[in-house]
Amino acid sequence: MNAPSRQPDDLLSELQCHGVRWQDQSTGLSRRGGAGPSDHKALTLGAHTAMVPVLNQASLDSPYEARPSSDGDLALIFREGRQVGQVEIPGVPKFYARSTADGIPYWKIATLHSRDVLATTLLQHCIRMNDAATSCQFCAIGQSLAAGKTIARKRPEQLAEVATAAVELDGVKHMVMTTGTPQTRDRGAAILCEAAAAVTAAVDLPIQAQCEPPDEDSWFQRLKDSGVVSLGMHLEAVTEPVRRKIMPGKAEVPMSRYFEAFEAAVEVFGRGQVSTYILAGLGDPEDAIAEMSERLATIGVYPFVVPFVPIDGTPLAHHPKPDNALMQRLYPRIGASLRRHGLHSDDIRAGCAKCGACSALKHHE
Ligand code: SF4
């Protein structure tokens, strides 16, 4: 007999933390490696879509199992043999079938995230990635390149071509441009400007850029002038011991620099259009995450708190899975900060916090 279906938010949050054992790995849209939500599938329940881990080791011991339908549009979710829900699986985007004139498949240039976000990593290389003394231990940026699933550098004209097709064929609504951090002092801001200018010249698509704080705050206006409408600068961890342990290279950028950059960026992009990723489950205490979120929201920065999901092939592949109980305590606290300071994901013009699929925070705003 089927168990009663759970509330969509509860079930998606559970699946996001535990992962799902997927019966048929060939079905639907998923990807392995890369920046952002790797080893995930986008699953939709009611009006909500969440990126759920299905390909990593951690999901193999999940109490949840998905049995996809034969046409791959739906999957039934079971826990201990009892059905607890049913999710929709988005089809393969139409733009994935196309290639550039020089034969590069569009899906190697940008991918669909969640239901309507086009995402790309401009530079699939980072100054910190090849040295354990500097690399971010959660990051899988080199994996998809090594696996031939992407190209090392996405040129502005390639992005303009793919973005145009993704809007026309699949109705994408906004775009996330992230980048591995290059050697240059601008931390990638210059290539983000070039790419954003090319995309906005070709198609009407709001763009979020993501980078480390650049050397000069004048980059924020240049990014805006190039068509970027919102900006992400990602703390990832909020306390110094966790920063130094998990991301020793990036931790060399002091928190004080992040806060200077946040304030300067909010001046340019406006309150709520600047955001940061915070990975819960890496060791930061719950109170530290809640307090940092309040501090960020006070200055107009949206704290996008997501459960950290271990990715295979990274040093943290066997890190404990995120604790859904921790997330369920954190979300309402951060939601209260967002309300107190008038921040809402729907007001964000583009980017991860607008998409929200890597977290259940949206449902607690
Ligand atoms: S929240 Fe960001 S990384 Fe996650 S699916 Fe959405 S666009 Fe991609």
Side-chain angles (χ1 to χ4, degrees), residues 16 55 116 165-166 224 227 283 285 294 353 356 363:
Q16 197 153 53
L55 296 176
D116 58 8
K224 186 175 183 190
E294 171 66 19
H363 316 305

Side-chain angles (χ1 to χ4, degrees), residues 174-194:
H174 54 120
M175 181 168 190
V176 172
M177 280 184 186
T178 191
T179 182
T181 301
Q183 193 69 50
T184 50
R185 289 164 58 83
D186 63 83
R187 295 293 188 240
I191 57 171
L192 285 161
C193 284
E194 286 167 18

Side-chain angles (χ1 to χ4, degrees), residues 31 35-37 51 113-114 117-119 174 176 208 210 277 304 306 351-353 355-359:
R31 70 194 184 98
M51 298 303 281
H113 280 202
S114 188
V117 187
L118 186 66
H174 54 120
V176 172
Q208 184 208 30
Q210 301 179 348
Y277 237 82
F304 187 51
V306 310
C352 287
C355 163
C358 286
S359 167

Side-chain angles (χ1 to χ4, degrees), residues 146-225:
K149 301 230 167 126
T150 186
I151 56 174
R153 170 82 198 266
K154 286 81 173 179
R155 296 198 309 273
E157 62 276 17
Q158 292 171 328
L159 290 161
E161 185 178 332
V162 176
T164 303
V167 169
E168 286 173 0
L169 300 177
D170 296 283
V172 303
K173 297 286 191 304
H174 54 120
M175 181 168 190
V176 172
M177 280 184 186
T178 191
T179 182
T181 301
Q183 193 69 50
T184 50
R185 289 164 58 83
D186 63 83
R187 295 293 188 240
I191 57 171
L192 285 161
C193 284
E194 286 167 18
V199 169
T200 46
V203 65
D204 184 13
L205 187 62
I207 297 168
Q208 184 208 30
Q210 301 179 348
C211 60
E212 292 186 28
D215 57 336
E216 290 173 11
D217 292 342
S218 56
W219 279 110
F220 300 134
Q221 187 61 49
R222 279 180 253 174
L223 284 161
K224 186 175 183 190
D225 294 344

Side-chain angles (χ1 to χ4, degrees), residues 65-284:
E65 179 193 339
R67 297 180 197 160
S69 60
S70 55
D71 58 7
D73 292 346
L74 296 171
L76 301 180
I77 306 294
F78 292 83
R79 180 173 182 141
E80 290 157 9
R82 291 159 62 93
Q83 188 189 330
V84 292
Q86 174 177 302
V87 293
E88 291 169 45
I89 310 165
V92 176
K94 296 186 188 72
F95 79 88
Y96 278 22
R98 293 202 176 170
S99 298
T100 60
D102 50 350
I104 300 168
Y106 280 8
W107 55 265
K108 289 194 178 187
I109 296 167
T111 54
L112 186 74
H113 280 202
S114 188
R115 284 188 292 195
D116 58 8
V117 187
L118 186 66
T120 189
T121 301
L122 297 186
L123 208 56
Q124 207 79 24
H125 191 275
C126 174
I127 40 167
R128 314 189 192 287
M129 67 187 254
N130 288 327
D131 182 350
T134 57
S135 66
C136 297
Q137 296 192 9
F138 49 76
C139 185
I141 193 170
Q143 285 186 17
S144 45
L145 183 62
K149 301 230 167 126
T150 186
I151 56 174
R153 170 82 198 266
K154 286 81 173 179
R155 296 198 309 273
E157 62 276 17
Q158 292 171 328
L159 290 161
E161 185 178 332
V162 176
T164 303
V167 169
E168 286 173 0
L169 300 177
D170 296 283
V172 303
K173 297 286 191 304
H174 54 120
M175 181 168 190
V176 172
M177 280 184 186
T178 191
T179 182
T181 301
Q183 193 69 50
T184 50
R185 289 164 58 83
D186 63 83
R187 295 293 188 240
I191 57 171
L192 285 161
C193 284
E194 286 167 18
V199 169
T200 46
V203 65
D204 184 13
L205 187 62
I207 297 168
Q208 184 208 30
Q210 301 179 348
C211 60
E212 292 186 28
D215 57 336
E216 290 173 11
D217 292 342
S218 56
W219 279 110
F220 300 134
Q221 187 61 49
R222 279 180 253 174
L223 284 161
K224 186 175 183 190
D225 294 344
S226 304
V228 171
V229 296
S230 64
L231 183 71
M233 291 183 287
H234 296 170
L235 291 176
E236 328 284 8
V238 302
T239 57
E240 282 308 318
V242 178
R243 296 185 79 222
R244 300 222 163 265
K245 181 172 167 208
I246 301 288
M247 32 183 264
K250 209 170 157 182
E252 295 294 321
V253 182
M255 278 293 212
S256 57
R257 172 62 195 131
Y258 272 89
F259 271 84
E260 279 167 19
F262 285 141
E263 289 184 1
V266 169
E267 287 279 311
V268 172
F269 292 100
R271 284 182 63 82
Q273 301 302 334
V274 178
S275 58
T276 192
Y277 237 82
I278 295 174
L279 300 167
L282 289 176
D284 284 324

